[in-house]
Amino acid sequence: GDRASREYEGLTKASTTIVTIQAGLLACFSNKNSVRNILKRIGKRIRIGPYNITMGIIHIPRTIAASLRGAIKRRLSPLSDQEISLVGTKDVPHIYSSRAGLFDVDLMGHMNNASYLQHAELARWEWSSFGGSLAQGFKTKSFFIVTASMIRYRREIVPFKRFDVETSLVGLDDRNLWVYQTFHHHVNRENKQEESDGPTRGKILAQILTQAVMAKPGKGVINPRAWLEDNSMYSSSVLDGIMNEKGENIESIFDEKAKRFTHLEDILKRSAASYDDKVPK
């Protein structure tokens, strides 16, 4: 009805505002001469409200901080370029650390379910900045766009508890790429026995499988393999191991999770298409 239409319009405007602000702030790093035009664009979009204020004082600063952390970690890392080229793969996941802060906790006294997705996004920002693909994305005007996410919650995270997020690129074809992320209670590596063959983090708290595409303005979705080979830290051999060729059994690439994910996505697509067909044009 009218209420649903107003809500949809409001969400659309809010999303446009967020994207414009983020693009504007991040573009400032690469082109200082565009700051004036960026501010004019943002000024035309912004309508002051609780949602915009929350994004402005919480999400955007967090995003910038995560990106800067990734760049600093890369600069200070003792790893060689060859070793760095393996970070973010299934065998060597990128590790993001944080705590459940006041803005993450809900009335139930634990980290809110939506906060898991927020920290998963921050982990991807840090990962892409660490590997250099974030800077290349802005240089080539290419963007990582999430098209679907599936999350499973297993254990709660209490206020101020430190946790880690492991991020790995686990699947790739000529259109999509898949990122698998797991939340863990933080374990101090110095306190673990060096001879232990077990994992260096605690049990899995949550699992997220994200499907995304690479896109460029005016060109739409582009081949992620080709872009990653030209603009990321991943070598051709690493990408060959991730690549999901057409006709190959997808579960053999990154486990049964991917097969179930794509099956669920297909069901949702058909459901949405069936509904849209009934909406008057």
Side-chain angles (χ1 to χ4, degrees):
D2 293 339
R3 180 180 178 183
S5 298
R6 290 195 300 270
E7 289 179 352
Y8 177 79
E9 183 179 354
L11 287 172
T12 302
K13 290 181 178 178
S15 299
T16 303
T17 299
I18 295 165
V19 172
T20 304
I21 292 175
Q22 291 178 335
L25 288 173
L26 292 167
C28 290
F29 292 105
S30 59
N31 188 356
K32 295 181 180 180
N33 294 328
S34 64
V35 173
R36 182 174 298 177
N37 292 332
I38 291 168
L39 292 176
K40 286 182 180 179
R41 289 176 60 194
I42 294 175
K44 292 178 180 179
R45 302 280 188 181
I46 290 180
R47 291 185 181 180
I48 300 300
Y51 186 73
N52 290 334
I53 292 174
T54 300
M55 293 299 296
I57 66 175
I58 299 176
H59 185 74
I60 295 175
R62 275 180 160 185
T63 299
I64 295 174
S67 302
L68 292 176
R69 270 199 313 272
I72 293 172
K73 284 183 177 181
R74 172 67 180 266
R75 183 168 293 242
L76 300 178
S77 175
L79 301 177
S80 65
D81 289 343
Q82 184 177 1
E83 291 172 323
I84 288 177
S85 70
L86 299 176
V87 175
T89 61
K90 188 175 182 179
D91 295 329
V92 190
H94 174 269
I95 301 171
Y96 158 96
S97 295
S98 188
R99 294 182 185 273
L102 293 176
F103 295 115
D104 299 314
V105 178
D106 58 22
L107 295 178
M108 299 298 292
H110 57 204
M111 194 160 89
N112 182 264
N113 62 85
S115 294
Y116 287 81
L117 292 170
Q118 293 175 356
H119 280 283
E121 179 187 353
L122 295 175
R124 294 194 299 269
W125 280 102
E126 184 178 300
W127 165 52
S128 61
S129 179
F130 178 82
S133 58
L134 177 60
Q136 286 299 110
F138 288 118
K139 184 177 179 179
T140 61
K141 293 183 173 61
S142 306
F143 303 97
F144 177 96
I145 299 176
V146 172
T147 57
S149 289
M150 178 179 67
I151 183 168
R152 179 173 180 263
Y153 304 97
R154 301 188 73 237
R155 297 176 177 87
E156 69 175 359
I157 300 178
V158 297
F160 308 112
K161 183 71 174 180
R162 189 174 178 184
F163 60 89
D164 295 334
V165 181
E166 294 189 354
T167 302
S168 302
L169 178 63
V170 293
L172 190 66
D173 63 19
D174 57 1
R175 177 180 173 85
N176 301 296
L177 49 86
W178 289 270
V179 178
Y180 179 57
Q181 296 175 281
T182 53
F183 284 68
H184 304 258
H185 279 315
H186 179 76
V187 174
N188 191 337
R189 293 190 177 196
E190 296 179 358
N191 294 336
K192 283 192 70 72
Q193 297 179 358
E194 292 183 1
E195 63 272 15
S196 173
D197 294 329
T200 56
R201 268 161 298 288
K203 294 181 178 180
I204 290 179
L205 309 174
Q207 301 160 284
I208 300 178
L209 184 60
T210 298
Q211 176 181 280
V213 297
M214 294 298 300
K216 296 186 70 170
K219 292 187 177 181
V221 176
I222 59 177
N223 188 312
R225 163 64 191 261
W227 190 91
L228 288 171
E229 192 164 0
D230 293 337
N231 299 284
S232 77
M233 60 185 176
Y234 296 120
S235 64
S236 297
S237 60
V238 171
L239 292 174
D240 287 339
I242 298 173
M243 190 72 178
N244 173 32
E245 299 292 349
K246 288 186 177 181
E248 190 168 357
N249 193 349
I250 195 170
E251 64 192 81
S252 66
I253 303 298
F254 53 105
D255 304 324
E256 183 70 16
K257 294 183 289 291
K259 183 179 179 181
R260 294 180 180 181
F261 180 88
T262 52
H263 177 64
L264 176 61
E265 184 195 21
D266 184 57
I267 293 174
L268 292 174
K269 281 183 178 179
R270 293 201 305 266
S271 176
S274 176
Y275 178 88
D276 290 348
D277 288 341
K278 301 174 185 177
V279 177
K281 296 182 179 180

